[in-house]
Amino acid sequence: MSRTVLFGLMLALHSSLALGQAQPASADAWQSVFFNSPATALPLLTAAAVKHSADLQALEIDKSLGEQNLLLARKAILNSVGVGAGYTYGNQTSIGVNNPQDPNQFGTFSAGRYSVGVNFSLPVGQVVSRGHLIKKEELSIQRSEAVRRERENLLRQQLIPLYQNVLLARKVLTLQQEAYVNTLTGHQLAEKQFRQGQLSLQEFSATGSQLTSVSVAQETARTQYDTAFLLLEEVVGAKIPTLMTPPAP
């Protein structure tokens, strides 16, 4: 098996293990977007991270509460409006009627009376403070919006190094895999020469030690790449291949 083919198989196997899932049919497509098109990848990552952020969700709730408080502040004046009704009975509503037996005498009786009215009392302090209360709630909403924009900017700033760390870790892993393939090939050649008596035991042992060192470096690079990849997925709250793959029509 050639060196190039062996390296390609190792990289493909690692990519599948690093993602923790089988390679999708469009693996080349999402990898091209993620690794080669940061202008496309970063906005997709940012949108997912904003949607996933619990901090930003809390700020959105604060804004909704502010909007409700503003609505209540504008309607507070209606608390002073009331509807009242009353019923009276007594001499104030007495009615005089002629007595048929004595024209000079009048008979009286009392009648009941209903009264309905609207009561409106508005304290001066409430009139003065209403405008200030409304303005306070409007400023609270504006502050929530400003804090949200600031947190989104901080989130973008956090995503950029995380994304760059993944790209760098992938390059380092690729170099370490190439070094491993080269060292493995050299060690296999040295073993053949050693069996044929063309290489001393000390020289053959040196190639074995070099292969061990390169193997450790490759595993270290693999771990760093996996860690960088998982940290980025943790922030965006989704699998990178899914984010980089456009939805089916």
Side-chain angles (χ1 to χ4, degrees):
M1 181 180 295
S2 66
R3 181 183 308 174
T4 303
V5 174
L6 179 60
F7 169 70
L9 291 174
M10 293 175 62
L11 182 59
L13 177 60
H14 164 70
S15 298
S16 178
L17 294 175
L19 297 178
Q21 58 186 10
Q23 287 282 36
S26 58
D28 293 340
W30 79 258
Q31 288 182 8
S32 177
V33 173
F34 182 75
F35 292 109
N36 303 325
S37 301
T40 302
L42 279 173
L44 293 174
L45 294 171
T46 300
V50 168
K51 183 178 180 181
H52 178 65
S53 173
D55 191 20
L56 293 179
Q57 291 176 10
L59 290 175
E60 193 64 27
I61 294 174
D62 289 342
K63 179 183 176 182
S64 298
L65 290 175
E67 292 173 344
Q68 292 297 320
N69 290 334
L70 178 60
L71 182 62
L72 293 175
R74 287 173 174 170
K75 293 183 177 181
I77 194 173
L78 298 178
N79 295 333
S80 301
V81 179
V83 178
Y87 175 80
T88 60
Y89 182 88
N91 292 333
Q92 291 182 350
T93 56
S94 294
I95 300 175
V97 181
N98 290 330
N99 188 343
Q101 298 178 357
D102 188 352
N104 295 323
Q105 299 294 325
F106 292 88
T108 62
F109 66 93
S110 298
R113 183 182 63 176
Y114 289 96
S115 62
V116 179
V118 176
N119 301 320
F120 184 84
S121 61
L122 189 62
V124 176
Q126 184 175 347
V127 176
V128 175
S129 64
R130 179 174 180 271
H132 294 288
L133 182 60
I134 292 175
K135 186 62 177 179
K136 176 184 176 182
E137 298 301 337
E138 290 176 345
L139 292 175
S140 177
I141 294 174
Q142 294 176 12
R143 182 180 182 277
S144 296
E145 294 173 345
V147 173
R148 178 181 174 84
R149 289 193 297 269
E150 179 187 6
R151 299 291 173 81
E152 287 183 2
N153 290 335
L154 292 175
L155 189 57
R156 292 188 185 93
Q157 296 174 14
Q158 179 186 2
L159 278 174
I160 292 174
L162 288 175
Y163 175 70
Q164 295 291 349
N165 286 342
V166 174
L167 300 186
L168 177 60
R170 181 173 182 262
K171 291 179 179 178
V172 172
L173 176 60
T174 301
L175 293 175
Q176 291 296 340
Q177 287 176 330
E178 291 177 349
Y180 176 81
V181 171
N182 293 334
T183 304
L184 178 61
T185 302
H187 177 71
Q188 291 173 342
L189 178 60
E191 183 179 11
K192 181 179 180 180
Q193 293 175 340
F194 174 72
R195 292 181 182 279
Q196 294 176 350
Q198 300 174 0
L199 201 67
S200 65
L201 177 60
Q202 183 178 1
E203 292 172 330
F204 175 65
S205 298
T207 63
S209 299
Q210 185 179 6
L211 179 61
T212 300
S213 177
V214 172
S215 298
V216 172
Q218 179 186 230
E219 290 304 315
T220 300
R222 188 192 309 277
T223 301
Q224 291 174 346
Y225 173 67
D226 291 344
T227 301
F229 207 97
L230 292 173
L231 285 175
L232 182 59
E233 287 189 333
E234 181 67 23
V235 173
V236 301
K239 294 296 183 181
I240 301 301
T242 302
L243 291 177
M244 299 297 113
T245 304

